[in-house]
Amino acid sequence: MAIYMNEPSRTFGEYLLIPGYSSTDCVPTNVSLKTPLVKYKKGTEEPAISLNIPLTSAVMQSVSDDVMAVALAGEGGLSFIYGSQSIETQAEMVARVKSYRAGFVVSDSNISPESTLQDILDLKEKTGHSTVAVTADGTQNGELMGIVTSRDYRVSRMASDTKVKDFMTPIADMVVGDENTTLKEANDIIWEHKLNSLPIVDKNKRLLSMVFRKDYNSHKSNENELIDTSKRYIVGAGINTRDYAERIPALLEAGVDVLCIDSSEGFTEWQKIVIEYVRKTYGDTVKIGAGNVVDAEGFRFLAEAGADFIKVGIGGGAICITREQKGIGRGQATALIDVAQERDKYFEETGVYVPICSDGGIVHDYHITLALAMGADFLMMGRYFARFDESPTKKVNVNGSYMKEYWGEGSARARNWQRYDMGGDKKLSFVEGVDSYVPYAGSLKDNVGLSLSKVKSTMCNCGVLTIPELQENAKITLISSTSIVEGSAHDVLLKDAQL
């Protein structure tokens, strides 16, 4: 006979947090949002990777590319670059993230001496960079001939066909570093000579990289950024259960820090096979998350298979129609509570703490705090990040309002059959996601800062200063439909639209 779960499965919108005692130390500036990303022996060791904020961006074409990864890592979170693309292009995205904040940045604005001022202007419009390296062949590793900055030309006083060699600063008049220059030495040179950038060249004067003053300032003004021991941004990548044996080595070669099996349903032998491949080939040095699951049994299966973290949620995403199409899934809050209880039980039995990621179901900022209180160590969000400048989709005007395109990996547009693969043909038999728009929201930095200020404020209301304290001490109550109405503005005539 089928197993019946007679209790309704709940969503975040059906719960509220009850305030706890707050001491004078409970102020937002004292709150730490640091949280483990991968499994570890809690109490005896530190996680190999931790997040500085509990947010990751979804493994989606319309959300997570290298631009998003750089922006989110800069705030302390992590992006999983989407895997529904060729192995080569995904690896290139990973490599760009890892080189972006190495301190030594591979130059992506390069030109030859025979190019013109117009070529400089076109390149600046394309890249947004005002510093252009001039190399003999115009490539990023060619022999360095000079440099061009906005101080080297005046558009109003120069012909557009003026050769770069006629107005560049030649290498003879430049300060450069050699291949043995350390990052500290490079920054010292920049400060001593009042430079905006320092080219690094090899013994043959070929350009290796650039060190920028702005990167030093940026790091000093944002100590929360998520970086590795070499001061490079940390980045993740999505993989599937089909071409993993070819994709994983390429991603590791590009420098990826953590992998995630991107699948609509994780309680499968396919995922176990992938995890076993990783452990047999790389041992525990390669970190890999798995999912998605919605109950204790699914969590236990992936934990015992060796997953480093486990994603929770099926059918709760804004663009996901899996529940509508297949009748599969569970309310996100109920799924998270069930899995978190099993996670804690697994820890008690083994001493290994396997972080769980809540994936889907976030509508309002306070849902982030609820998800953490219910046991999530971090969240994965798609719609939330798709709204920002840094997402890879177009900003369009729809009926007078700016919107961003947003489509699901199970949509016909994404054609990501691997995510829904059940051993059949290489195609989508039917869609499990939609193609849509979301309201444009501006920059990631501003929005993430606002959302997390609400999280910190709520944690202080609960009398806690860390995520583990929130999970241990939170008081959570179910609310009625009438309570939901009561919680919003009601029985008044609003003067203006509320922000």
Side-chain angles (χ1 to χ4, degrees):
M1 182 177 177
I3 297 173
Y4 288 88
M5 299 180 179
N6 294 319
E7 282 294 315
S9 64
R10 308 282 187 178
T11 65
F12 294 130
E14 296 177 81
Y15 291 92
L16 286 175
L17 286 157
I18 294 176
Y21 169 73
S22 299
S23 70
T24 54
D25 290 331
C26 279
V27 293
T29 53
N30 288 339
V31 172
S32 169
L33 295 178
K34 189 169 184 177
T35 190
L37 177 71
V38 296
K39 68 182 181 183
Y40 66 109
K41 293 181 179 179
K42 193 174 182 180
T44 62
E45 65 181 23
E46 292 296 316
I49 307 175
S50 292
L51 302 173
N52 291 328
I53 62 173
L55 304 181
T56 63
S57 64
V59 192
M60 299 176 68
Q61 293 176 7
S62 56
V63 179
S64 296
D65 64 355
D66 52 306
V67 176
M68 176 63 71
V70 166
L72 185 51
E75 298 306 306
L78 178 80
S79 288
F80 287 94
I81 291 177
Y82 68 93
S84 51
Q85 58 179 316
S86 72
I87 295 173
E88 293 73 21
T89 56
Q90 188 185 23
E92 287 170 1
M93 286 188 181
V94 169
R96 285 198 292 270
V97 177
K98 298 306 292 186
S99 66
Y100 183 91
R101 178 68 72 151
F104 299 91
V105 181
V106 176
S107 176
D108 63 356
S109 291
N110 311 285
I111 208 159
S112 75
E114 296 300 321
S115 300
T116 65
L117 173 59
Q118 187 59 53
D119 294 327
I120 288 284
L121 298 176
D122 292 343
L123 184 59
K124 182 179 179 181
E125 182 178 358
K126 177 182 177 182
T127 65
H129 300 156
S130 58
T131 299
V132 179
V134 183
T135 60
D137 57 3
T139 65
Q140 64 185 19
N141 295 124
E143 181 185 353
L144 184 64
M145 308 299 290
I147 199 165
V148 174
T149 71
S150 56
R151 292 177 295 184
D152 291 314
Y153 58 87
R154 293 285 295 274
V155 176
S156 60
R157 297 187 180 184
M158 294 170 59
S160 61
D161 60 355
T162 305
K163 296 287 188 180
V164 167
K165 64 183 179 181
D166 295 330
F167 62 87
M168 71 181 186
T169 299
I171 188 171
D173 297 334
M174 294 169 55
V175 178
V176 300
D178 62 32
E179 53 195 320
N180 297 316
T181 303
T182 67
L183 184 58
K184 183 181 185 304
E185 290 170 342
N187 283 318
D188 288 343
I189 293 171
I190 286 172
W191 282 98
E192 180 183 349
H193 294 275
K194 299 180 180 180
L195 306 173
N196 287 325
S197 64
L198 178 72
I200 305 297
V201 299
D202 65 15
K203 60 184 179 181
N204 297 316
K205 301 299 182 183
R206 297 182 69 85
L207 181 63
L208 298 176
S209 58
M210 304 281 288
V211 179
F212 291 94
R213 174 191 290 261
K214 66 178 178 61
D215 284 346
Y216 177 85
N217 291 337
S218 173
H219 174 61
K220 287 300 180 183
S221 65
N222 187 5
E223 302 289 352
N224 214 35
E225 60 189 357
L226 192 65
I227 55 177
D228 62 21
T229 54
S230 300
K231 299 187 183 300
R232 301 177 301 174
Y233 280 143
I234 291 178
V235 62
I239 62 171
N240 61 65
T241 57
R242 284 274 183 156
D243 64 8
Y244 60 89
E246 295 78 37
R247 189 173 294 268
I248 291 176
L251 293 172
L252 293 174
E253 177 68 23
V256 75
D257 297 282
V258 58
L259 304 170
C260 179
I261 304 174
D262 180 36
S263 174
S264 63
E265 210 280 287
F267 195 1
T268 74
E269 187 176 4
W270 302 108
Q271 295 215 2
K272 182 179 180 182
I273 291 170
V274 176
I275 297 170
E276 288 176 343
Y277 162 81
V278 168
R279 295 293 173 246
K280 181 179 180 180
T281 309
Y282 305 102
D284 291 326
T285 60
V286 171
K287 306 304 179 184
I288 180 169
N292 289 20
V293 299
V294 293
D295 64 4
E297 191 177 3
F299 170 86
R300 176 70 65 157
F301 171 78
L302 290 177
E304 292 179 346
D308 285 294
F309 67 84
I310 294 171
K311 288 204 297 167
V312 180
I314 294 177
I319 41 68
C320 184
I321 54 173
T322 295
R323 298 179 192 175
E324 178 183 313
Q325 291 282 62
K326 297 167 65 174
I328 291 288
R330 199 177 193 186
Q332 186 66 12
T334 299
L336 185 56
I337 292 168
D338 191 9
V339 171
Q341 289 173 342
E342 187 67 16
R343 184 267 317 278
D344 293 343
K345 181 179 177 182
Y346 184 82
F347 167 65
E348 291 173 2
E349 295 173 4
T350 65
V352 177
Y353 185 89
V354 182
I356 57 176
C357 168
S358 181
D359 180 15
I362 301 297
V363 179
H364 304 291
D365 285 344
Y366 81 89
H367 290 170
I368 297 174
T369 321
L370 273 169
L372 296 172
M374 290 175 177
D377 296 284
F378 60 96
L379 290 78
M380 179 174 284
M381 298 188 289
R383 182 196 63 85
Y384 178 88
F385 288 108
R387 304 171 299 146
F388 303 151
D389 288 319
E390 293 82 0
S391 74
T393 63
K394 295 179 181 177
K395 182 172 71 173
V396 296
N397 191 303
V398 179
N399 298 325
S401 299
Y402 281 113
M403 311 288 283
K404 291 275 284 186
E405 295 178 317
Y406 179 46
W407 60 91
E409 287 298 293
S411 67
R413 181 172 183 174
R415 300 183 183 278
N416 186 9
W417 65 269
Q418 296 98 329
R419 189 175 198 275
Y420 301 86
D421 181 30
M422 298 185 72
D425 295 331
K426 296 182 179 182
K427 62 181 181 180
L428 285 171
S429 300
F430 54 88
V431 297
E432 294 187 42
V434 299
D435 199 343
S436 64
Y437 298 105
V438 289
Y440 168 65
S443 74
L444 178 146
K445 184 178 182 66
D446 292 342
N447 283 277
V448 166
L450 177 60
S451 295
L452 294 182
S453 70
K454 296 178 185 179
V455 172
K456 290 181 178 181
S457 180
T458 303
M459 288 173 64
C460 288
N461 291 145
C462 295
V464 300
L465 295 175
T466 67
I467 292 173
E469 288 178 5
L470 178 66
Q471 294 170 343
E472 183 176 348
N473 299 314
K475 291 182 287 186
I476 305 171
T477 181
L478 269 170
I479 57 176
S480 67
S481 58
T482 306
S483 296
I484 296 173
V485 174
E486 180 186 57
S488 302
H490 60 90
D491 300 316
V492 293
L493 179 62
L494 298 179
K495 290 183 178 180
D496 302 298
Q498 300 296 305
L499 296 178

